């Protein structure tokens, strides 16, 4: 892994609950999981020789999302009919969550769900699991992101 990554892009950044600021042609410097700088593309500091650069100048970067209530073990049933909560739980949710008793199933689902969340820009939040201890361990193992 390179010491520094620099992303060239446009930036939409929240200033408050009702206002955001849009800036074109910025450079975002990232080291590990820390943003080291956000400057105009014209003001990029001298970069180390081993810097990785990414040209996303036609794209917009925005802050990560945090979902404050989600059940990762219910991802496969989230779009099932919900005319009645108890019927939805009995017919879809509980049978699906029972599959997490199988360690391989749990590990595979945790890995794919974590990848999907990161691709969608969700970096964290209030995450609920199943009653299976290893499912919690799987979630903690895979729900760690790295930039790019």
């Amino acid at each position: 892994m390179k010491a520094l990554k620099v992303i060239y892009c446009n930036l939409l950044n929240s200033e408050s609950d009702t206002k955001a600021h849009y800036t074109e042609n910025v450079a975002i410097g990232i080291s590990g999981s820390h943003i080291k700088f956000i400057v105009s593309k014209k003001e990029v500091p001298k970069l180390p020789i081993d810097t990785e650069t990414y040209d996303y100048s036609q794209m917009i970067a925005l802050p990560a999302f945090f979902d404050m209530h989600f059940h990762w073990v219910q991802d496969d049933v989230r779009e099932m009919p919900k005319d009645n909560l108890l019927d939805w739980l009995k017919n879809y949710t509980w049978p699906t969550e029972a599959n997490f008793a199988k360690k391989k199933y749990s590990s595979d689902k945790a890995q794919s769900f974590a990848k999907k969340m990161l691709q969608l820009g969700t970096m964290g939040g209030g995450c609920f699991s199943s009653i299976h201890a290893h499912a919690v361990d799987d979630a903690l193992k895979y729900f760690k992101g790295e930039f790019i």
Side-chain angles (χ1 to χ4, degrees):
M1 184 163 90
K2 301 287 184 173
L4 182 67
K5 296 177 183 181
V6 176
I7 302 169
Y8 298 102
C9 60
N10 302 302
L11 179 64
L12 182 64
N13 201 5
S14 302
E15 291 183 9
S16 70
D17 290 347
T18 59
K19 187 176 179 184
H21 183 72
Y22 178 73
T23 308
E24 292 185 335
N25 299 314
V26 300
I28 303 172
I30 301 169
S31 178
S33 61
H34 299 282
I35 295 175
K36 295 298 184 180
F37 60 82
I38 300 175
V39 297
S40 164
K41 193 174 181 178
K42 297 174 188 173
E43 299 169 354
V44 175
K46 184 169 171 48
L47 301 173
I49 191 99
D50 63 344
T51 300
E52 287 184 59
T53 60
Y54 301 86
D55 184 4
Y56 295 127
S57 55
Q58 300 302 312
M59 302 178 119
I60 300 172
L62 27 130
F65 298 109
F66 285 79
D67 186 337
M68 295 315 295
H69 184 128
F70 64 97
H71 298 251
W72 79 271
V73 294
Q74 295 178 5
D75 188 52
D76 289 343
V77 299
R78 64 186 161 79
E79 294 182 7
M80 296 299 182
K82 295 180 193 93
D83 295 332
N84 177 299
L85 176 61
L86 289 178
D87 288 342
W88 178 72
L89 290 168
K90 182 175 65 173
N91 296 327
Y92 302 107
T93 305
W94 294 330
T96 298
E97 285 190 18
N99 291 323
F100 286 84
K102 298 174 237 158
K103 289 185 177 184
K104 179 162 178 21
Y105 181 89
S106 176
S107 178
D108 291 348
K109 285 294 185 177
Q111 191 170 10
S112 65
F113 183 77
K115 183 177 179 181
K116 181 191 320 185
M117 294 299 282
L118 290 172
Q119 288 173 334
L120 295 172
T122 302
M123 299 295 291
C127 181
F128 296 86
S129 189
S130 71
I131 62 170
H132 309 97
H134 61 265
V136 174
D137 293 339
D138 292 335
L140 292 172
K141 178 179 178 182
Y142 293 112
F143 292 177
K144 295 178 182 174
E146 181 179 313
F147 294 97
I148 303 182

